[in-house]
């Protein structure tokens, strides 16, 4: 009996977490779309750019350290 109750509780928790994951995924998609629209509308880059490549002098300096 106790194990059955635990199984039911875990199934409820699993269903709740699955719903939360679904909502979070949809929010991420919507936020991404909003950023795309804002970038197009205002002609600016909102997302962070990747790190710039280092100059050869910087690379040699970092290797020595």
């Amino acid at each position: 009996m106790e194990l059955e109750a635990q199984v039911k509780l875990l199934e409820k928790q699993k269903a709740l977490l699955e719903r939360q994951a679904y909502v979070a995924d949809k929010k991420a998609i919507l936020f991404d779309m909003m950023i795309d629209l804002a970038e197009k509308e205002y002609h600016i880059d909102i997302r962070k750019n990747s790190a710039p490549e280092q100059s050869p002098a910087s690379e040699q300096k970092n290797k020595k350290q």
Side-chain angles (χ1 to χ4, degrees), residues 11-55:
E11 287 173 345
K12 287 181 181 180
Q13 288 175 341
K14 179 185 172 200
L16 175 65
L17 291 172
E18 286 174 343
R19 282 193 300 271
Q20 288 175 342
Y22 177 80
V23 169
D25 186 48
K26 295 300 176 191
K27 281 184 179 180
I29 291 169
L30 288 171
F31 289 145
D32 193 48
M33 290 171 62
M34 289 170 56
I35 289 171
D36 289 341
L37 289 171
E39 286 180 332
K40 287 178 186 176
E41 181 72 24
Y42 298 108
H43 307 288
I44 58 172
D45 291 330
I46 296 173
R47 290 184 177 89
K48 289 185 178 181
N49 296 329
S50 59
E53 292 185 25
Q54 291 184 336
S55 67

Side-chain angles (χ1 to χ4, degrees), residues 54-65:
Q54 291 184 336
S55 67
S58 296
E59 288 178 359
Q60 288 177 355
K61 183 180 176 183
N62 288 339
K63 285 180 183 178
K64 289 180 183 178
Q65 292 177 356

